[in-house]
Amino acid sequence: GAVVSQHPSRVICKSGTSVKIECRSLDFQATTMFWYRQFPKQSLMLMATSNEGSKATYEQGVEKDKFLINHASLTLSTLTVTSAHPEDSSFYICSYDNSHDNEQFFGPGTRLTVL
Amino acid sequence: AQSVTQPDIHITVSEGASLELRCNYSYGATPYLFWYVQSPGQGLQLLLKYFSGDTLVQGIKGFEAEFKRSQSSFNLRKPSVHWSDAAEYFCAVVFGNQFYFGTGTSLTVIP
């Protein structure tokens, strides 16, 4: 399967600061990628879907101005949590769509803690 | 509306015992079906997937799953559980090109 990396794996920040999370596909190019959020002991919730070269589509209830997604290239996407607050603390996971059989390849996740 | 249900929030089994984790979906057609495992603080690892064909699917780590159209189910099974199988298990379905995850089943393995 494809390899997807995320950086950083863990980040702690102060309330009010912005945090950027990178998601890279290491061995394939994908036009579609997804960002998920997972709260403790809960399932993954889709935040947004983006296609390379176009704006992301956000799920209902997800603030686009707070969670900025830049699908910069076929191998790199970034999620920036702007003006982070403690309630944004969560596990953020990205995934790429392999575009031919609907399988997604998930990154290892980023644990964000906002103090 | 489409939905994915994992009825068991938490399951405890003894090491060496058999395991079955349940997954049901609600959709008008046959979706693509997946099972993932997540260890604490880690990302998702694909165990197996079903797209079409043989309804009994073999995956990694000795897991298998059976798609039953009549029951809209895709239950995960393992004949003999190992302590290292303790983790969170997620069933997922694809409707269109969007993943929908079940709420997960937490597996505890006791010696």
Side-chain angles (χ1 to χ4, degrees):
Chain A
V3 179
V4 180
S5 70
Q6 281 185 240
H7 177 80
S9 59
R10 183 182 293 268
V11 57
I12 301 173
C13 69
K14 292 182 178 180
S15 184
T17 61
S18 294
V19 175
K20 179 184 285 188
I21 302 170
E22 291 187 350
C23 176
R24 292 180 184 273
S25 63
L26 301 182
D27 56 358
F28 78 107
Q29 296 182 328
T31 57
T32 304
M33 60 80 56
F34 306 87
W35 283 98
Y36 294 86
R37 179 167 53 186
Q38 184 182 31
F39 292 107
K41 304 293 185 182
Q42 296 187 27
S43 187
L44 283 75
M45 299 301 295
L46 180 66
M47 298 175 67
T49 304
S50 74
N51 291 300
E52 190 266 342
S54 62
K55 291 184 178 180
T57 301
Y58 290 80
E59 295 300 301
Q60 190 172 8
V62 178
E63 300 174 58
K64 63 178 69 175
D65 294 329
K66 182 169 185 62
F67 298 99
L68 301 178
I69 292 172
N70 182 9
H71 196 156
S73 72
L74 293 175
T75 60
L76 172 65
S77 176
T78 60
L79 169 68
T80 301
V81 183
T82 62
S83 187
H85 288 91
E87 58 265 30
D88 299 324
S89 299
S90 188
F91 195 55
Y92 292 88
I93 302 175
C94 69
S95 72
Y96 281 91
D97 188 312
N98 73 356
S99 301
H100 73 87
D101 63 4
N102 286 299
E103 182 173 350
Q104 291 187 16
F105 299 97
F106 291 85
T110 297
R111 172 74 60 193
L112 171 63
T113 302
V114 184
L115 303 177
Chain B
Q2 302 90 345
S3 67
V4 184
T5 304
Q6 290 181 247
D8 305 304
I9 297 174
H10 186 255
I11 285 181
T12 299
V13 299
S14 298
E15 190 169 15
S18 63
L19 171 71
E20 182 170 30
L21 303 182
R22 296 181 291 166
C23 174
N24 295 93
Y25 66 91
S26 173
Y27 186 54
T30 300
Y32 296 151
L33 299 155
F34 302 82
W35 273 100
Y36 287 89
V37 61
Q38 184 182 35
S39 296
Q42 303 294 315
L44 299 176
Q45 182 180 24
L46 179 67
L47 289 176
L48 45 79
K49 59 187 177 185
Y50 173 78
F51 293 158
S52 63
D54 192 345
T55 56
L56 184 61
V57 181
Q58 301 298 320
I60 63 172
K61 302 185 179 184
F63 285 93
E64 66 178 26
E66 185 172 12
F67 169 60
K68 293 185 177 180
R69 186 189 307 274
S70 61
Q71 299 177 17
S72 297
S73 69
F74 189 56
N75 294 349
L76 181 71
R77 300 193 295 251
K78 185 169 184 176
S80 178
V81 171
H82 188 262
W83 65 265
S84 61
D85 293 325
E88 190 82 17
Y89 291 80
F90 292 98
C91 177
V93 301
V94 173
F95 304 117
N97 75 331
Q98 185 165 320
F99 261 60
Y100 293 86
F101 285 89
T103 50
T105 298
S106 177
L107 176 64
T108 298
V109 181
I110 56 176

